[in-house]
Amino acid sequence: MCGIVGAVSNRNIVPILLEGLKRLEYRGYDSCGVAVHQGGALRRARSTSRVAELEANIAADGVASGTGIAHTRWATHGAPAVHNAHPHFSAGANIDAMATGFGSLEAGGATTPVARIGLVHNGIIENHDELRAELRERGYVFTSQTDTEVIAHLVHSFYDGDLLDAVQRALPLLKGAYAIAVFARDEPNRVVGARQGSPLVLGVGPGENFLASDAMALAGVTDQIVYLEEGDVVDLQLGKVWISAADAQGRYQPVQRPVRTVTAHSGAAELGPYRHYMQKEIFEQPRALADTLEGVEGISPELFGDGAYRVFKDVDRVLILACGTSSYAGMAAKYWMESIAGIPTSVEIASEYRYRDSVPDPKTLVVTITQSGETADTLAALKHARSLGMEHTLTICNVSTSAMVRECKLAYITRAGVEIGVASTKAFTTQLAGLYLLTLALALVRGRLSEQQEAAELKALRHLPVALQAVLALEPQIIAWSEDFARKENALFLGRGLHYPIALEGALKLKEISYIHAEAYPAGELKHGPLALVTDQMPVVTVAPNDALLEKLKSNLQEVRARGGQLYVFADSDTHISSEPGVHVIRMPEHYGALSPLLHVVPLQLLAYHTACARGTDVDKPRNLAKSVTVE
């Protein structure tokens, strides 16, 4: 994985391919490449540098073409290296020489124009070892460690002048997830795409057509988008598009998919006055929350879609499925749902859920949480839950056109806007807002929300953007703390009750972008192990709201101080926790009750951000991570 762009046109599409890759950079990647049909041959350029460097080198070679494919790769099979970067070529059996095109970009690149098939791929092919062995026996030579090269050779093995036919014959042999774009030397105005378990969209323009893994890659090129469905194969030619899918007998039949007008706001990618996108997105949270809550005049199940009232009346428990940051949002929601709505709630890590024996209950509301709506593990977990007979499904998602929204019967679309930084910030707080609304809607249906309570909750929600602005004003104090943290290699985060998930999220942010090892614990668990790590070199970050667990938390802080630990406390103003030697306190502007997690997470985001800046890391593109995890 990570990003795909492809095009067939009468105009030069090289700038479109490169601009598309730039728009997908936010997903994270460690190599990139472009391949085009030029002068009767397939030519490619690949690099382990950024897209800007790739673009400069291609421009120096004066490359122009009307047909091509491009890719940003986040390494799964094989190290981040030029020979593992996409696009991958197949020249056929018993041929070692490969057309690499712009030799200055490829280590030892040959220039013999013999490659017949070029391919880019997102996903993971699970049976690649088996297929590799078979293809080697047939004389195919592999030049990479990737599973992707297997697909290129497999398509070539079926190729006899008709690229669509070759792809359709190859796909049934693949096990796993894929989105692919393929083109052939002998068919200069044709690209074939296919998807199974990984997103792929078709962009339609006058006399030209495009493929991409995300509609944002095509912003400014076309707003006519077709979201391909599972198993679709699409044949792009000049001014013509055919979509097909296999029937029950495995025969490919034409299918119709709706064309949607999608406005992908390219302006969202503008950095403006901020140093990094992550900083920009942290400061966009008041607006993101206001947008997410816009139009919520009252608490109603219909906020989540038609028929939600009937579903909410029919369920007697909630199962939340999510990964990473989204799972921490789910953990916070569990506290809300059980205390406010009085409904039993469990939270499962999506990547684990479908691989264990669980006890299904058809009266469960299955809630998925995902920023992109394309997270492979969460989609797979949802399908597993449905296969067990749990058909009441709802998603909290930031992308209205995503696979997750299409798969779930109900949805609440957050309006965080495009999030460029790999480490999630505004997506998390808007997820919390959506989950709180869900909690209130469930409470309403279950007779646990009076009119007075509803009015008070709506007032508190509407005040959130203003309250967040006050928290953001704490940035100068947090910058001072970050200078201490930048010299550390380990940190502990503590929280209790509803704020334990927020401590988990704070630790995750710090480790993601500063590379400081950070762990979070419920504060009451200190004496059950983590206390052994506490020294004067171990900063202990504590989330300290003025709630029912405050006095217990204060006792936990004393345990840290007694061992010489350095405490960094984000405390509500009325907690009576004061700064002293070894205790550093930043006071939050106000206590916010059940919604306090949305405020307390923001200074943790700022602490991680400024610590990473002080350490000089690549804040927006942390090593080894990708924004949209579309493989298991």
Side-chain angles (χ1 to χ4, degrees), residues 277 526 592:
Y277 287 110
L526 263 178
Y592 221 68

Side-chain angles (χ1 to χ4, degrees), residues 194-240:
R195 67 153 297 191
Q196 182 71 47
S198 196
L200 193 66
V201 303
L202 162 68
V204 181
E208 57 187 9
N209 295 294
F210 307 91
L211 281 177
S213 50
D214 188 323
M216 185 177 176
L218 303 179
V221 177
T222 180
D223 61 358
Q224 299 301 292
I225 301 295
V226 176
Y227 289 89
L228 299 175
E229 298 185 11
E230 290 288 272
D232 282 357
V233 179
V234 58
D235 184 0
L236 281 68
Q237 298 186 33
L238 288 173
K240 301 177 183 178

Side-chain angles (χ1 to χ4, degrees), residues 171-185:
L171 294 180
L173 301 179
L174 303 178
K175 296 178 182 178
Y178 56 79
I180 61 173
V182 197
F183 69 154
R185 181 193 67 189

Side-chain angles (χ1 to χ4, degrees), residues 227-526:
Y227 289 89
L228 299 175
E229 298 185 11
E230 290 288 272
D232 282 357
V233 179
V234 58
D235 184 0
L236 281 68
Q237 298 186 33
L238 288 173
K240 301 177 183 178
V241 173
W242 293 269
I243 303 175
S244 60
D247 59 20
Q249 288 72 44
R251 295 187 296 265
Y252 280 90
Q253 304 292 344
V255 294
Q256 298 294 319
R257 302 290 183 230
V259 180
R260 307 186 189 191
T261 301
V262 175
T263 303
H265 295 288
S266 58
E270 299 299 326
L271 189 57
Y274 297 97
R275 185 175 174 186
H276 297 95
Y277 287 110
M278 183 177 179
Q279 184 186 30
K280 174 176 181 278
E281 287 152 12
I282 290 172
F283 278 83
E284 285 176 339
Q285 286 175 110
R287 174 62 183 272
L289 280 170
D291 289 347
T292 295
L293 298 170
E294 184 180 3
V296 179
E297 300 298 332
I299 302 303
S300 167
E302 272 56 49
L303 290 170
F304 300 87
D306 294 339
Y309 179 83
R310 179 187 57 78
V311 171
F312 291 178
K313 286 289 286 185
D314 191 46
V315 299
D316 56 20
R317 63 181 57 249
V318 173
L319 168 63
I320 296 174
L321 302 173
C323 296
T325 285
S326 296
S327 72
Y328 300 150
M331 290 175 65
K334 173 183 170 70
Y335 286 92
W336 288 332
M337 289 180 178
E338 294 195 341
S339 66
I340 298 173
I343 186 167
T345 302
S346 58
V347 182
E348 296 265 4
I349 301 297
S351 58
E352 293 291 324
Y353 170 67
R354 71 187 180 112
Y355 294 113
R356 72 173 187 84
D357 295 327
S358 59
V359 181
D361 181 350
K363 294 180 75 65
T364 296
L365 176 63
V366 180
V367 177
T368 64
I369 312 170
T370 163
Q371 182 270 329
S372 68
E374 305 290 351
T375 306
D377 286 317
T378 309
L379 282 165
L382 170 68
K383 292 175 183 177
H384 177 66
R386 291 174 57 188
S387 74
L388 297 176
M390 294 185 285
E391 290 295 333
H392 298 314
T393 58
L394 182 152
T395 188
I396 306 293
C397 183
N398 194 47
V399 182
S400 62
T401 53
S402 64
M404 189 66 74
V405 173
R406 296 195 300 272
E407 291 286 340
C408 288
K409 293 182 178 178
L410 302 173
Y412 191 82
I413 307 303
T414 58
R415 298 174 67 184
V418 175
E419 196 176 57
I420 303 296
V422 168
S424 180
T425 52
K426 61 179 180 175
F428 178 73
T429 48
T430 53
Q431 285 172 352
L432 288 175
L435 288 163
Y436 198 75
L437 285 174
L438 176 60
T439 298
L440 296 178
L442 288 168
L444 181 70
V445 170
R446 297 169 70 83
R448 294 171 63 98
L449 189 71
S450 67
E451 288 185 13
Q452 294 81 2
Q453 289 171 319
E454 178 182 354
E457 294 288 5
L458 287 170
K459 182 179 179 181
L461 284 166
R462 291 174 184 137
H463 183 62
L464 269 175
V466 175
L468 267 181
Q469 289 286 9
V471 176
L472 290 167
L474 300 173
E475 186 179 34
Q477 299 176 59
I478 296 169
I479 292 173
W481 279 13
S482 70
E483 295 170 0
D484 292 337
F485 274 74
R487 296 188 291 270
K488 307 299 183 183
E489 294 300 329
N490 302 280
L492 286 177
F493 286 69
L494 302 179
R496 295 207 72 152
L498 180 58
H499 293 80
Y500 166 51
I502 301 309
L504 284 165
E505 173 63 8
L508 177 62
K509 286 292 152 290
L510 189 67
K511 73 179 76 171
E512 280 182 316
I513 62 172
S514 75
Y515 314 144
I516 293 172
H517 174 247
E519 298 297 336
Y521 289 89
E525 287 294 294
L526 263 178

Side-chain angles (χ1 to χ4, degrees), residues 63 92 111 136 156 181 220 267 281 326 364 399 427 448 474 506 532 567 601 619:
V63 180
T111 57
R136 276 179 171 155
H156 181 279
E281 287 152 12
S326 296
T364 296
V399 182
R448 294 171 63 98
L474 300 173
L567 284 164
V601 74
V619 172

